[in-house]
Amino acid sequence: MADTEIRSIAEAPLEPEDLEKQEVAESIRERPDLIHVRSHVSNHDMHHLGTQHVEAGDEIYDKLPSHRKSVITAVLAFCGFLAPISSTTVLSAVPEVAATYATTGTIINLSNALYLIFMGLSPMVWGPLGQVYGRRWTQIISAVLFFAFSVGTALAPNLVSFFIFRVLTAFQGTSFLIVGASCIGDIYRPTERATALGWFLSGTLIGPAFGPFIGGIIVTFRTWRDTFWLQTALAGVGTALVFFLLPETIHHKRSAELAGLKTAEKVRKLWQWTNPWRVIRLYRYPNLLIVGLASSSLVWNMYSLLTPIRYVLNPRFHLTSPIQSGLFYIAPGCGYLLGTFFGGRWTDYIVKKYIRKRGQRVSEDRLRSCLVAMGVVIPGCMLVYGWSIEKDKGGIPLPVIAMFLQGVAQLFCFPSLNTYCLDVMQGRSSEVVAGNYMIRYLFAALGTATCLPAIEAIGVGWFSTISAGFLVVSTLLTHATSVYGRGWRERIDENRREKKAQQAHRDAEK
């Protein structure tokens, strides 16, 4: 690249909101010899690629040694395990909780739907806060509050307090997912992120699958309240791990820009930076909306599969205890665990493959890695699962195999979609991830609330067919994004720049 080209990149006007691009530009000014280089050192364990793609500004990811990054990823995966497992541990105990509060299983399932709704709303708060004040203290505060509200849930004396403490717990727990994913984006290069994110996501997906199994064991031998005391203990461990092992990873805290400003100006800027509307407005980008819907189709599928197991499979296979139905949750959980070893690596491999073809990295190329799993494997598994139960075919092995395979396939999808959110707008990655989690958990809440009534009305076969159709449509839209998404976002950015220029021109004429 010629010196003049590098200077033009470094001196190009930058959006003030995209702070990471500004840091990269400053890096180029300081090191004008920084270019894309070929290397004989393989990236990660993919020895057959033979090249390492280095981009301008990538040295920012070398601040921490690899073993420290691994420890951080492990801590984040453990914390990411907490909120999702809390969303499903109660599933095996729904009849017992309903009996304690003299209500019905439908009402208790509604509390779970509210839990997921608040998991969907809280990203609008935690995403911007993580961008302004950094990752570490945002994680510590949410971990302490998650611990406190878990205690409240375990001690809840009546149904109203049970609902309140559940939703407050959910509001804190999503911070682990939003800020945790952003931490991964802070410390790993774009060509490495999906592998690390696959390990992080293993916690967020294994939690919902193994939660009912653990809950089933507890409810069979103890009171249902002990499930929430277990959650409290895990939250305490998570709080300690975050406090002692999670450093600040963000490259630039926006709060640093408040120094020297008057109080009124500080308040105005803080509202501008933390306004929840910032997250919602990101959906003017059709590529982000489509990836959000794709993530939502996967989460809808997961929660509508896991939620009714005790009501659907117990009668079908003549099971009589919570622990027996809890065993069925092991199948998708083992699938998630196995997929952890391959899904993220596959996504990074596809990125590097297209870098070789194009000579540059395009964020949308990553989405190609999830198309087969999301559009063929998971819908096929859902159809086999639903209709084998509906028509009483295949005994226990067939639905168990289908649940296992769809669990593996989901870990080939989520690393692709989540890492795309980190890559596509790196300066606002926390907000992009927040928007993605917002829409996916709203769909999870919808699936949780409607799956049991829908199955009772139309049968598990047709409900599984609806879930499969949602996945196929989302896959087609994701494929369109992988082809046209770059052009979509560049046109929107160009329109925004033109509007800002016109506004600046009008202001100058006044």
Side-chain angles (χ1 to χ4, degrees):
M1 185 182 291
D3 289 346
T4 54
E5 291 179 275
I6 295 173
R7 291 192 193 98
S8 67
I9 294 172
E11 295 168 3
L14 297 165
E15 299 260 352
E17 63 192 9
D18 201 342
L19 298 169
E20 189 145 343
K21 286 183 181 178
Q22 189 171 353
E23 291 176 359
V24 171
E26 290 169 355
S27 167
I28 296 174
R29 293 187 189 104
E30 294 168 3
R31 297 181 59 186
D33 59 329
L34 192 63
I35 58 172
H36 289 194
V37 299
R38 293 278 182 180
S39 170
H40 296 294
V41 180
S42 297
N43 197 22
H44 282 284
D45 54 347
M46 301 179 189
H47 305 286
H48 57 284
L49 288 180
T51 60
Q52 182 178 18
H53 182 71
V54 179
E55 298 183 358
D58 268 7
E59 68 275 8
I60 202 168
Y61 303 112
D62 297 331
K63 294 178 180 178
L64 297 172
S66 59
H67 72 273
R68 189 74 189 279
K69 294 180 182 181
S70 298
V71 170
I72 292 170
T73 303
V75 170
L76 295 173
F78 179 84
C79 292
F81 175 80
L82 296 177
I85 195 175
S86 179
S87 71
T88 58
T89 44
V90 73
L91 294 181
S92 292
V94 166
E96 288 76 15
V97 178
T100 299
Y101 295 125
T103 186
T104 65
T106 301
I107 296 298
I108 301 303
N109 277 336
L110 180 60
S111 78
N112 223 40
L114 285 173
Y115 185 97
L116 293 168
I117 287 174
F118 274 79
M119 284 187 73
L121 294 176
S122 65
M124 292 188 292
V125 175
W126 293 117
L129 282 178
Q131 207 73 26
V132 173
Y133 291 106
R135 321 300 192 198
R136 174 176 162 78
W137 283 105
T138 305
Q139 288 283 68
I140 289 174
I141 291 169
S142 57
V144 170
L145 292 175
F146 187 89
F147 172 83
F149 294 133
S150 296
V151 173
T153 307
L155 296 173
N158 53 52
L159 187 62
V160 173
S161 60
F162 179 78
F163 269 59
I164 290 172
F165 283 117
R166 284 281 285 160
V167 299
L168 288 175
T169 305
F171 198 88
Q172 318 311 317
T174 320
S175 170
F176 300 135
L177 311 180
I178 306 305
V179 182
S182 298
C183 289
I184 299 293
D186 292 340
I187 63 178
Y188 285 99
R189 301 172 190 269
T191 52
E192 303 170 343
R193 284 176 188 155
T195 300
L197 202 63
W199 287 102
F200 169 70
L201 290 171
S202 67
T204 69
L205 295 176
I206 290 171
F210 279 101
F213 171 63
I214 296 170
I217 295 174
I218 292 174
V219 172
T220 300
F221 300 105
R222 305 278 297 180
T223 172
W224 63 265
R225 293 185 186 273
D226 285 348
T227 62
F228 292 102
W229 284 120
L230 174 62
Q231 174 184 310
T232 301
L234 293 173
V237 173
T239 302
L241 290 174
V242 168
F243 187 82
F244 290 108
L245 297 178
L246 182 66
E248 182 55 73
T249 63
I250 195 170
H251 303 151
H252 179 90
K253 291 185 191 177
R254 303 199 81 173
S255 58
E257 300 175 31
L258 300 176
L261 297 180
K262 295 180 179 179
T263 301
E265 184 67 12
K266 286 182 180 179
V267 171
R268 188 186 70 80
K269 280 192 170 292
L270 280 173
W271 172 246
Q272 177 186 344
W273 293 338
T274 61
N275 184 350
W277 186 246
R278 285 176 61 88
V279 174
I280 298 173
R281 286 177 62 197
L282 288 172
Y283 283 119
R284 65 176 174 264
Y285 289 89
N287 55 309
L288 296 183
L289 178 60
I290 288 172
V291 170
L293 288 173
S295 299
S296 300
S297 70
L298 293 166
V299 175
W300 162 283
N301 167 76
M302 181 172 69
Y303 277 92
S304 58
L305 176 74
L306 297 176
T307 299
I309 279 181
R310 187 167 176 184
Y311 289 92
V312 172
L313 297 186
N314 276 26
R316 164 71 169 78
F317 298 118
H318 311 293
L319 307 178
T320 56
S321 71
I323 194 172
Q324 288 177 321
S325 56
L327 291 170
F328 279 93
Y329 293 93
I330 295 178
C334 289
Y336 298 142
L337 187 60
L338 181 63
T340 297
F341 295 98
F342 305 105
R345 286 179 169 85
W346 170 250
T347 299
D348 282 339
Y349 166 76
I350 293 297
V351 169
K352 293 170 186 177
K353 173 184 174 182
Y354 277 89
I355 286 173
R356 288 203 310 270
K357 292 175 68 173
R358 297 181 186 273
Q360 61 175 321
R361 181 176 60 85
V362 176
S363 298
E364 282 72 20
D365 286 337
R366 185 179 296 279
L367 298 175
R368 301 173 190 270
S369 65
C370 70
L371 298 177
V372 174
M374 187 166 64
V376 178
V377 179
I378 301 178
C381 290
M382 286 302 297
L383 292 174
V384 170
Y385 169 82
W387 288 106
S388 67
I389 295 172
E390 180 81 20
K391 299 300 183 181
D392 197 9
K393 302 291 184 183
I396 290 178
L398 190 56
V400 166
I401 292 171
M403 287 191 287
F404 171 79
L405 291 177
Q406 70 87 30
V408 174
Q410 287 208 37
L411 256 299
F412 277 79
C413 299
F414 277 121
S416 173
L417 300 171
N418 283 39
T419 311
Y420 176 76
C421 293
L422 295 174
D423 289 350
V424 70
M425 296 176 68
Q426 292 188 42
R428 298 182 64 183
S429 62
S430 188
E431 294 169 9
V432 176
V433 173
N436 189 271
Y437 274 93
M438 177 187 72
I439 191 171
R440 74 168 64 171
Y441 276 110
L442 292 177
F443 271 91
L446 182 63
T448 299
T450 60
C451 64
L452 196 54
I455 287 171
E456 291 171 348
I458 63 175
V460 66
W462 282 113
F463 186 76
S464 297
T465 303
I466 292 171
S467 295
F470 188 11
L471 287 160
V472 170
V473 171
S474 297
T475 303
L476 293 175
L477 292 173
T478 303
H479 175 62
T481 303
S482 71
V483 177
Y484 305 111
R486 183 183 186 180
W488 295 342
R489 57 185 170 86
E490 288 178 350
R491 280 195 295 272
I492 291 174
D493 287 339
E494 180 62 29
N495 290 337
R496 290 182 64 202
R497 282 191 291 270
E498 289 178 0
K499 288 180 180 179
K500 286 184 178 181
Q502 292 170 2
Q503 183 62 45
H505 181 69
R506 285 194 294 267
D507 293 342
E509 289 179 341
K510 291 180 181 179

